[in-house]
Amino acid sequence: MNDTERLTRYTANFIDELAKSGVTDVVISPGSRSTPLAMTVCEHENLKEWVIIDERSAGFFALGLAKQSQQPVALVCTSGTAAANYYPAIVEAHYSRVPLLVLTADRPHELRGVGAPQAIEQINMYGEYAKWFHEMALPDATPHMLKYVRSKAARAVHVAKEGNSGVVHLNFPFREPLVPNFSFDNVWGEEMPFSYHPTYDGVKRIHESQLTELIESLHSKKRGILVCGPLMDINIAEAITQLARAWELPIIADPLSQIRSGNHPKDNIIESYDAFLRNETIRKKLQPDFIIRFGAMPISKSYLHYVQTHEQALQFVVEQTEGYRDPTAHATSFIYADPLHLCHDLLEQSSGIQCDSKWLHTWQQMNEMTKEHLQMETNHQLTEGQAARGLLEVIPNGSGLYVGNSMAIRDIDTFFLCTSKKLKVLANRGANGIDGVTSSALGAAATGKPMTLLIGDLSFYHDFNSLLAAKHYELDIVIVLINNNGGGIFSFLPQSSDDKYFEVLFGTPLHLEFQKGIEMYGGTYRQVITEDDFKKALENSYCERGLSVIEVKTDRTKNVKWHRDIWDAINEEILKNEGTIWNL
C-alpha cells in the first residue's frame, strides 16, 4: 500500500463517518495542505460543500448555517493563518452555543518550528473556546487506524452537539503527496447504515423533591414574571404561554426568544418592556416577588436595570443542561432542566399557585399604551425605527430574519410587536460583534429558507466581501441596509457629547456609496426615502430571486431625537395615568 492509498482511505473513512453521524454541510476555505479533506468532501455524495474564499467569512457562514439548521456544520481550511481567521466565528459559536466542527490541515511534525512556510502553532489554538481539541494521527490505513479515524469523527459530532453545543477542533497533519485517489476499491470503508458511535441522549428533569421545594418557595408570592431571553427552540412558546396563563404572569419576551411570533396565545406577552422600563420611576414601582428566566439574558439594558433595581426578588435561571449566564451577580437559583418538561411539571404540580391578576393587568395596560406610541404614523423622512417596523409588517410568513448588532437589534427589540406570522429571528448575540453578520445571514439563507437581513452600514462594510457567496451560489436574501454614515449607537451614549473626538473615534463616518459594490456582486439595489416606498421595495424584493439590497439613509442626530421623543411620550402617558394603571 503506497502513501496515496493510505492517505485516501484514512481521509475517506473520516469524512464518511461525519456524514453517517449527521453532518450534511461542509464549508471549505481553499488551500493546498487541506487538499485531502477538501477533495474528499466534494467526492462524498451525501455532503454539500460550500467554497468560501475568505476564512473569516467562511467561519461566520458556517455559523449561520448551523444556527438556522440547528445541526453541526464542518469547516475545512489549510495550515497557517487561515485557521486563525476562523477565530472570531469560533468565539461567537462558543458563546452562542452553536455546533461547529473545525478541521484544520497542518504541516507534519517534522516541518513545525523549523521555519517551514505556512507553519504556525495550531495545537489547541482556540483554547477554551473549543469544547474538545484533538491532534489527529498521521494518515495510515491499517484496520486499527481506520477504526481510530471513524471513532474520532463520530465523537467530534457528538461532542459538538452534547450539552451546550459548541466548537470541536481537529488538527490534521498531512505529508505530501496530498492528492487522494478515489479509484481504489471500497474507498469509503465498511458499509454501515449508522454512525460508528450511536448516541442516545435523554432530556434533563429535576427530581420530584426539588420540584416540590421550588413550588413551595413560590406559594406565597403574588407578583412574578416569566422572562424569555434568546432561545432557539420554537416548541417552547406554547408551554411557557400556558404556564403564564395558569399562573397569571406577564412574560417579558426578548425578540430572539421565538415567542413574539406564531400561533400560540400572546395575551400575557409583554413585548414593549424595553421602552417603558427605561424610566426609573416605572422600574421601581414594578416590584416583583420572583423572576423565572428561560434562555440567555435579554438584549435590553432597560431590563438589566430593572433586575438590578429589584435584587430582593427570588430569581431563577433555567438552563437546559449547564451554564451560569447571569451578569447581575445576584443570589440566583439555577434550574438545570429541559424547559419544555419543566413547564409541564410546574403546571401539573402547582395547581395552588395563582398570582395577583392586578399585577398582570398593570403590565398589560402599560404594554398597550406603549404599543400605541410605537405604531403611531409620522410624516417625517423614514427613520431607523420606522424601517424596522415596516420590515416586520411586510416580511412574509415563514421567513427568517437575521439582525445585526448595535442599533439594528435594539430597533427590532422595540418595534417587533407580537404577530401570528411564524418568524425565526436570529442574531450573533454571543459576543455581540459587528463582524461576520452578513456572512452568517447568507449561511442561514443557504438552508433554502426565505431570509432577510437588517444591518447597519458599518457592519455591512465590515463583511462586504461575503456578498461573493450570494453571487456564487445564487442565494436568495433581502438585505435592509440602514446607512446612518457611521456608528449610530454611539450617538445614544455619553461619548456623543465630546465634540473633539466623537466623530473620529465613535461616529466613524464611511462616506461610501454602496450601490456599485452591490451591483458588482450581481445584486439588485434600491434606495428609499418614505415608509410607503420602503414597503413597496420590500414587496418587490420578496418577489425576486438572488441578492436584493434596500438602502435607507438616515441622520444619526435626528434618529436619536426621534427615539427619545417616543420614549418621553410613553413615559409621560404612563405616569400621567398612574391612578388608573397602578392598581396594585
Side-chain angles (χ1 to χ4, degrees):
M1 187 180 295
N2 61 25
D3 289 342
T4 296
E5 185 172 358
R6 279 190 285 269
L7 171 74
T8 303
R9 293 190 181 281
Y10 178 92
T11 310
N13 273 263
F14 177 85
I15 295 300
D16 184 63
E17 188 56 42
L18 290 186
K20 282 187 167 60
S21 298
V23 175
T24 57
D25 294 89
V26 182
V27 180
I28 300 171
S29 306
S32 176
R33 190 61 53 169
S34 55
T35 296
L37 293 167
M39 288 185 64
T40 309
V41 166
C42 293
E43 187 70 15
H44 200 288
E45 64 180 4
N46 293 328
L47 292 174
K48 167 65 177 175
E49 76 278 0
W50 304 89
V51 180
I52 308 293
I53 296 171
D54 183 315
E55 286 85 5
R56 187 179 71 176
S57 179
F60 280 104
F61 185 94
L63 182 138
L65 184 53
K67 190 185 282 275
Q68 174 74 356
S69 66
Q70 297 189 54
Q71 292 297 327
V73 172
L75 279 159
V76 171
C77 74
T78 191
S79 62
T81 55
N85 281 307
Y86 284 158
Y87 213 112
I90 286 167
V91 171
E92 175 63 31
H94 168 79
Y95 285 114
S96 58
R97 300 177 177 179
V98 175
L100 291 182
L101 306 175
V102 185
L103 314 178
T104 56
D106 201 353
R107 300 281 167 147
H109 303 77
E110 66 270 17
L111 294 182
R112 299 178 186 174
V114 294
Q118 209 168 313
I120 68 171
E121 181 56 65
Q122 294 180 202
I123 304 300
N124 204 27
M125 69 180 299
Y126 304 123
E128 294 185 0
Y129 294 115
K131 294 178 70 178
W132 178 47
F133 167 79
H134 181 70
E135 164 87 333
M136 296 294 290
L138 288 162
D140 204 344
T142 65
H144 174 73
M145 289 303 292
L146 296 184
K147 291 178 182 178
Y148 156 83
V149 81
R150 281 194 177 272
S151 176
K152 297 307 177 190
R155 180 180 174 187
V157 176
H158 170 68
V159 172
K161 294 191 299 182
E162 72 171 337
N164 293 332
S165 297
V167 178
V168 167
H169 176 204
L170 302 182
N171 196 55
F172 288 78
F174 288 127
R175 291 193 179 110
E176 295 180 359
L178 299 171
V179 179
N181 182 348
F182 301 111
S183 65
F184 296 120
D185 292 337
N186 194 28
V187 70
W188 301 109
E190 298 180 17
E191 283 290 333
M192 293 190 301
F194 44 78
S195 170
Y196 193 75
H197 294 312
T199 56
Y200 303 90
D201 196 4
V203 298
K204 199 168 187 176
R205 300 175 87 156
I206 60 175
H207 192 271
E208 188 174 343
S209 62
Q210 295 174 315
L211 185 66
T212 300
E213 181 181 335
L214 172 60
I215 292 170
E216 287 179 351
S217 70
L218 301 177
H219 255 295
S220 62
K221 311 300 182 186
K222 295 299 180 184
R223 299 178 183 178
I225 301 173
L226 298 182
V227 179
C228 295
L231 292 166
M232 290 303 299
D233 186 0
I234 59 174
N235 298 317
I236 192 66
E238 188 72 36
I240 290 179
T241 51
Q242 284 182 0
L243 180 63
R245 295 181 91 182
W247 287 11
E248 294 194 279
L249 295 178
I251 304 172
I252 287 181
D254 184 89
L256 303 178
S257 65
Q258 319 306 328
I259 290 181
R260 294 191 191 184
S261 66
N263 295 324
H264 51 274
K266 301 182 185 69
D267 296 346
N268 295 53
I269 294 177
I270 310 298
E271 71 266 53
S272 62
Y273 60 91
D274 178 74
F276 62 77
L277 288 181
R278 290 174 179 272
N279 184 277
E280 185 178 3
T281 301
I282 295 173
R283 288 200 301 268
K284 287 182 176 179
K285 283 179 175 291
L286 292 170
Q287 183 173 331
D289 295 326
F290 68 91
I291 300 172
I292 301 176
R293 169 161 60 88
F294 299 84
M297 194 71 174
I299 292 161
S300 169
K301 185 174 282 189
S302 300
Y303 171 73
L304 175 61
H305 292 329
Y306 174 71
V307 177
Q308 291 171 330
T309 299
H310 300 292
E311 185 175 358
Q312 82 294 333
L314 291 178
Q315 297 192 47
F316 304 87
V317 173
V318 181
E319 292 278 11
Q320 189 148 339
T321 54
E322 59 185 353
Y324 277 83
R325 295 186 292 187
D326 184 23
T328 66
H330 289 176
T332 302
S333 299
F334 290 89
I335 304 172
Y336 297 113
D338 178 80
L340 189 65
H341 285 86
L342 178 66
C343 288
H344 291 158
D345 291 343
L346 288 173
L347 278 170
E348 288 181 5
Q349 302 295 327
S350 59
S351 57
I353 291 185
Q354 191 171 33
C355 294
D356 187 353
S357 60
K358 295 179 180 178
W359 166 256
L360 171 61
H361 188 58
T362 294
W363 282 88
Q364 289 172 325
Q365 281 187 293
M366 286 190 293
N367 194 50
E368 290 304 314
M369 283 184 179
T370 301
K371 288 196 293 185
E372 288 181 10
H373 286 275
L374 297 179
Q375 296 175 94
M376 200 171 291
E377 296 292 334
T378 62
N379 296 320
H380 301 123
Q381 181 176 335
L382 184 61
T383 65
E384 297 177 24
Q386 286 175 309
R389 184 177 67 188
L391 167 60
L392 291 161
E393 182 180 326
V394 176
I395 190 170
N397 186 26
S399 291
L401 174 62
Y402 222 106
V403 188
N405 285 313
S406 299
M407 279 306 300
I409 190 62
R410 286 165 175 82
D411 276 327
I412 290 297
D413 193 5
T414 300
F415 294 97
F416 180 14
L417 304 182
C418 286
T419 175
S420 59
K421 291 180 184 178
K422 293 183 179 180
L423 303 175
K424 189 173 185 179
V425 186
L426 304 173
N428 292 348
R429 292 302 293 177
N432 303 354
I434 67 167
D435 49 342
V437 175
T438 307
S439 293
S440 296
L442 289 168
T447 64
K449 301 292 185 181
M451 187 59 58
T452 302
L453 168 64
L454 178 67
I455 193 169
D457 55 309
L458 283 186
S459 188
F460 188 61
Y461 163 75
H462 203 285
D463 195 26
F464 198 70
N465 61 353
S466 64
L467 297 182
L468 181 61
K471 178 181 180 181
H472 183 67
Y473 291 107
E474 299 180 339
L475 299 176
D476 297 330
I477 188 168
V478 175
I479 298 178
V480 177
L481 169 60
I482 306 296
N483 187 354
N484 53 33
N485 199 26
I489 194 166
F490 291 106
S491 298
F492 289 82
L493 301 179
Q495 294 93 317
S496 62
S497 62
D498 192 313
D499 295 333
K500 184 176 182 180
Y501 295 113
F502 178 73
E503 281 299 297
V504 66
L505 293 179
F506 306 103
T508 56
L510 296 176
H511 303 300
L512 288 177
E513 295 296 329
F514 288 103
Q515 179 176 356
K516 290 182 179 179
I518 291 163
E519 291 173 346
M520 177 179 71
Y521 289 111
T524 300
Y525 171 86
R526 296 178 174 89
Q527 184 180 332
V528 296
I529 296 175
T530 68
E531 189 167 0
D532 286 341
D533 289 342
F534 174 60
K535 291 177 183 178
K536 290 176 183 176
L538 278 171
E539 290 169 353
N540 291 333
S541 294
Y542 288 130
C543 294
E544 299 169 352
R545 302 298 303 272
L547 169 66
S548 178
V549 180
I550 302 171
E551 183 174 20
V552 179
K553 290 191 175 182
T554 65
D555 180 275
R556 282 185 266 132
T557 302
K558 292 179 181 178
N559 183 57
V560 172
K561 184 179 186 304
W562 185 84
H563 279 80
R564 287 178 174 162
D565 285 348
I566 291 177
W567 296 332
D568 289 345
I570 290 168
N571 293 333
E572 182 180 350
E573 181 172 0
I574 289 175
L575 293 174
K576 182 177 67 177
N577 290 279
E578 182 175 357
T580 305
I581 297 174
W582 309 104
N583 189 20
L584 299 176

